[in-house]
Amino acid sequence: MKKRLAAVAALLATLGAAPATQAQDSRFSRDASGQPVLTVDGKPFLVLGIQLNNSSGFPDTFHALAPAIKRSHANTVMVPLGWESIEPEEGRFDFSIIDGLIAEARAQHIRIALLWFGSWKNAKMSYAPAWVKHDTQRFPRVEDADHHPIDALSPIAEASRNADAKAFAALMAHIKAVDAKQRTIIMVQVENEAGTLGADRDHSAAAEALFTAPVPADMPGAKQGSWQDNYAEKAPEAFMAYHTARYIGAVAAAGRKAYDLPMYANVWPREQPGLLRPGDSSPSGGAVSWLLPQWKALAPAIDVVGVDNYDTNVAPYTQIAKAYDIPGNPLFVPETGGSMAHARHAFWTIAQPHSVGISKFGIDEGFGISKGQEAIEPIALDYQLLRDAAPFLLPLRDAGHALSAVEEDGMANIPLTFDGIEAVARFGEVRDGYGGPRGQGNADLSGRVIVAQVEANRFLIVGASTNLLFAPRLGTAGHVELVSVEEGHFMDGRWVRDRLLNGDETAFGLVLPASGKSLMVTTQVVR
Ligand code: DGJ
């Protein structure tokens, strides 16, 4: 433990030392455990995102949203760009919109994750240009079981794939020309919530022939035989995933060849509680968890598959998130909601080892303004607390030294067990009673905290609406003394102490108010 913490401490010591002239850079590299780690400008980067609404990926709208984006405290804006906007006629590209978006992001001093709405947007083809929509011969649609074409491009169609890949590669080449030095755009989402809604699979004659043929040899894990033999009732979804992954893998590869930026795909999860009907309750063919390993193998140009997770209940939210957090694919939630529940989940998400980050969908609705007054949105407080802490926190987190506690209905006291010491996060008023002093819960369930063990006896505590108490590990004697309690903030990856807390401010637990706080606490177990 001591050795591991010393190694993390050595890394932390280098963080603030990066020269101001550090080359602008954005990449996923693999750490010692083989997990992809996003670094931007040479430092670990946590995506704390805000996503522009679907029709707001235009420079003027982006500009008008600048105050709201600032209030969000996000470090990344997810900006949609539709294929229809850059290639209105086949082969004639117009990059004025992307140029305007990059200029606007630079003016706002914020990074962009660009969302390529090409062949798929929420399992539909609505962002494809008119010349693609009109030519159903060249760009065939998925046909439903009654052989009616639907508003989705067939994933088996090479012409569509090539046209999308060509447009995406042209876009990436342009971005390279105008932004490779500054890296305003740090990553790209390839397509959006891919798959098909309105049919379990493509039932066109060409697709039928492929579906009844043996499963291709490059489908990971499949045995010789038909789709039906291999996957039974899940065969239509597996078939669509095979073709959709290869299609999007080809689009992503073409883009990376033009300009090698980190790329990810987002998925509409199949695992939402309810009846599971791929093609109806969720898109058929997306990188859903049971097909995630196959998807990753078939689309290697995609670094990470992120799961759009809007669930407001703890159990389904964490279950869905965990299903997408597998070796080689760290947790990433590119879309979530804006409620207090989502803000609590964001703390949990960010605390998961190797988590790439989270992004709140939508900002059009006067984000941070309530009844004409400025107000802090729950997730904006998360971002405010964690944004500057991230470069310091992430190495500790990835080495397994950070834990989170989030409040839920009826769960107001959550234990956190560290090496040699434990803590309890208490939410709401702390009252004495049977079982000792216990949190009674916050009416708005706003308790959320991350505690990181920086050294054996030194802890970073970041959170809101929480009262934290340390104790020796069960079975060990003594009591925990607070040697010092620093209130502070981070600057350039280094802890900056603002004042020392003591007396009334620490006598009844380490209090993190609803407005949030960061503490660096040195403890001592006295035996
Ligand atoms: C998920 C999509 O990916 C977003 O683009 C947006 O349509 C949201 N749903 C709306 O809730």
Side-chain angles (χ1 to χ4, degrees), residues 51 54 117 121-122 189 192-193 266 308 310 335 361:
Q51 185 167 150
N54 292 167
F117 290 181
K121 162 68 177 78
N122 297 27
Q189 177 186 296
N192 187 80
E193 293 189 345
N266 67 333
D308 294 350
Y310 287 86
E335 286 184 37
F361 176 81

Side-chain angles (χ1 to χ4, degrees), residues 114-379:
L114 190 69
L115 315 179
W116 172 240
F117 290 181
S119 299
W120 283 276
K121 162 68 177 78
N122 297 27
K124 308 247 179 241
M125 57 173 295
S126 55
Y127 283 79
W131 54 270
V132 172
K133 286 177 181 156
H134 287 146
D135 195 344
T136 54
Q137 287 298 313
R138 189 170 152 213
F139 306 114
R141 308 294 180 85
V142 168
E143 288 182 17
D144 66 15
D146 298 325
H147 300 289
H148 294 132
I150 63 170
D151 53 354
L153 289 169
S154 171
I156 68 166
E158 248 177 68
S160 309
R161 187 189 68 199
N162 292 343
D164 188 336
K166 204 168 149 198
F168 185 56
L171 172 67
M172 293 304 290
H174 178 78
I175 295 172
K176 183 178 185 182
V178 298
D179 194 47
K181 276 209 188 89
Q182 273 169 279
R183 300 266 172 156
T184 313
I185 299 181
I186 54 168
M187 61 201 296
V188 182
Q189 177 186 296
V190 189
E191 314 293 347
N192 187 80
E193 293 189 345
T196 298
L197 277 178
D200 59 345
R201 67 172 171 88
D202 189 355
H203 292 265
S204 65
E208 207 60 42
L210 291 172
F211 185 67
T212 48
V215 175
D218 61 341
M219 177 67 171
K223 298 189 192 80
Q224 265 191 344
S226 69
W227 289 95
Q228 203 64 45
D229 296 340
N230 270 279
Y231 303 103
E233 78 280 4
K234 290 177 171 175
E237 191 183 18
F239 172 79
M240 292 300 270
Y242 172 80
H243 289 287
T244 307
R246 281 169 45 106
Y247 186 126
I248 293 178
V251 173
R256 286 191 96 133
K257 200 168 161 212
Y259 180 27
D260 192 13
L261 269 193
M263 293 200 183
Y264 70 95
N266 67 333
V267 61
W268 172 334
R270 178 191 205 267
E271 303 76 9
Q272 296 173 109
L275 290 175
L276 305 183
R277 296 284 185 275
D280 184 6
S281 59
S282 62
S284 179
V288 295
S289 62
W290 81 274
L291 288 159
L292 183 54
Q294 289 89 330
W295 233 90
K296 299 266 301 177
L298 293 164
I302 297 290
D303 294 293
V304 169
V305 171
V307 59
D308 294 350
N309 198 347
Y310 287 86
D311 212 293
T312 49
N313 293 307
V314 177
Y317 179 92
T318 53
Q319 250 165 39
I320 289 171
K322 283 177 185 168
Y324 291 84
D325 187 356
I326 61 170
N329 196 71
L331 179 59
F332 182 32
V333 179
E335 286 184 37
T336 196
S339 70
M340 184 59 85
H342 294 112
R344 289 195 306 272
H345 295 161
F347 251 67
W348 178 87
T349 303
I350 287 160
Q352 301 311 299
H354 294 99
S355 158
V356 178
I358 192 159
S359 183
K360 191 229 165 238
F361 176 81
I363 194 163
D364 275 1
E365 314 270 307
F367 194 84
I369 297 284
S370 168
K371 296 182 190 129
Q373 300 284 314
E374 252 194 57
I376 294 195
E377 296 281 336
I379 207 153

